[in-house]
Amino acid sequence: MNPDTTTIIKTLEDFAYQAIDKHFKKTVKWEKSVKKDEDPEALHQMRVGMRRLRTAVSRFGLSLNLPKSVSDKNIGKIARILGKLRDLDVLKEILENDYKPHLLHKEQESLKIAFSTLDKQREIEVSHVHKIFKDELYKDFKKDLQDWLEKPSYQPLASLPIQQVLPDLLLPEVSEFFLHPGWLIGTEIVDSKIVVQTNWTPEQLEQHLKTEGETLHSLRKQAKRIRYQMELFTELYGESFTANISDVKHIQESLGMLQDSVVLNEWLADIFKSELNSQLRGLTTLLAANRYQLWQQWQPLQEQYLKAETSHKFHLTILQPM
């Protein structure tokens, strides 16, 4: 290979450009398919692309001169509109594949009301997606970022070696992750030590999910943020860094499945109101059993990540890029 054509990535600038270019291209390539609304996977990929792009813009923002339209806030707004449609697709998928086959015929008939409501809600969200694509906010974001990629502009900080700044880029988010109040749900502090309670009944779990479900969901979002950030830099670290990413992904997925079950339950309650238990008792029983099982699977992870030694090792790994 001609050495002149080989790009050696060394500075913050190189990494920032590479990440923004990659995720922007990955995002916009799905736009046509999402407009046609033919394939749920296209919507999923575009939403993930937007989220990863948002991570790159927010993490590297302090070293770049980006146009105003390419802001964390604007990308977040576009991602949320895509997200609302994607969330409905996920609900439908879970209902259709994970629960419907296990229900009695009578309950499967009742579910038709839910699917019909879902289709109507979906039509509304599809129109919102079409609207955002026509909106100046999206058009400006897309055009301005394309222009920036053709002629990028940086702050002086961008010239620093990536190894020098990398720990400082990642550690603030790592600290937020470990200090998140979601870790303490289902624990007691005894003599300054955190003790995970493993004796909750299904009823106790449901009660806590009602009052603290939002905090758990917030921990899941923080796990996703830190995972996306770490994945920008895998080539600069060794095996323990990759293992940490794998752990964070496991945390995110574990809490995600729990959240999906809670959201599905709330969505069904919104449709069926007081009739929910009489019309879909089998389904609500299955959902509650599923949440209890997911909670028991979550607790060993929670216990591991509440240990001082886990956070210490995690921080040490971040401090030692190759």
Side-chain angles (χ1 to χ4, degrees), residues 50 194 294:
M50 273 289 176
I194 302 168
L294 287 167

Side-chain angles (χ1 to χ4, degrees), residues 253-310:
E253 287 171 348
S254 183
L255 291 174
M257 287 188 286
L258 193 60
Q259 171 70 6
D260 287 345
S261 180
V262 169
V263 167
L264 180 52
N265 211 84
E266 287 171 354
W267 181 77
L268 288 166
D270 204 40
I271 295 166
F272 290 94
K273 308 285 192 282
S274 57
E275 299 289 301
L276 180 61
N277 276 331
S278 57
Q279 291 211 31
L280 290 167
R281 181 173 292 281
L283 177 55
T284 54
T285 305
L286 274 176
L287 280 164
N290 170 254
R291 283 191 291 278
Y292 194 61
Q293 189 184 1
L294 287 167
W295 182 254
Q296 288 173 312
Q297 287 168 12
W298 155 246
Q299 285 193 303
L301 267 174
Q302 179 189 22
E303 202 155 16
Q304 182 195 339
Y305 267 71
L306 282 169
K307 288 177 183 165
E309 138 197 28
T310 304

Side-chain angles (χ1 to χ4, degrees), residues 170-171 174 177-178 183 222-224 226-231 234 237-252 301 304-305 309-320:
L170 289 174
L171 284 172
V174 171
F177 176 63
F178 278 100
W183 291 113
Q222 183 62 28
K224 191 177 284 186
I226 190 179
R227 178 188 145 208
Y228 285 172
Q229 286 186 12
M230 289 172 76
E231 282 174 349
T234 41
Y237 284 97
E239 283 174 20
S240 56
F241 187 81
T242 312
N244 285 345
I245 292 176
S246 179
D247 269 2
V248 172
K249 188 181 179 188
H250 193 180
I251 288 161
Q252 178 201 323
L301 267 174
Q304 182 195 339
Y305 267 71
E309 138 197 28
T310 304
S311 87
H312 182 63
K313 280 182 182 171
F314 204 110
H315 279 86
L316 273 183
T317 300
I318 301 285
L319 284 167
Q320 297 165 327

Side-chain angles (χ1 to χ4, degrees), residues 135-184:
D135 199 296
E136 292 305 314
L137 179 137
Y138 181 76
K139 287 179 180 173
D140 289 348
F141 149 76
K142 196 173 153 185
K143 184 190 178 299
D144 292 349
L145 189 47
Q146 273 167 338
D147 291 347
W148 185 89
L149 286 165
E150 281 167 29
K151 200 177 174 184
S153 170
Y154 301 97
Q155 297 274 355
L157 187 68
S159 309
L160 291 175
I162 187 70
Q163 277 87 350
Q164 184 181 330
V165 294
L166 192 44
D168 291 322
L169 277 178
L170 289 174
L171 284 172
E173 210 70 61
V174 171
S175 298
E176 269 193 53
F177 176 63
F178 278 100
L179 291 172
H180 197 285
W183 291 113
L184 296 180

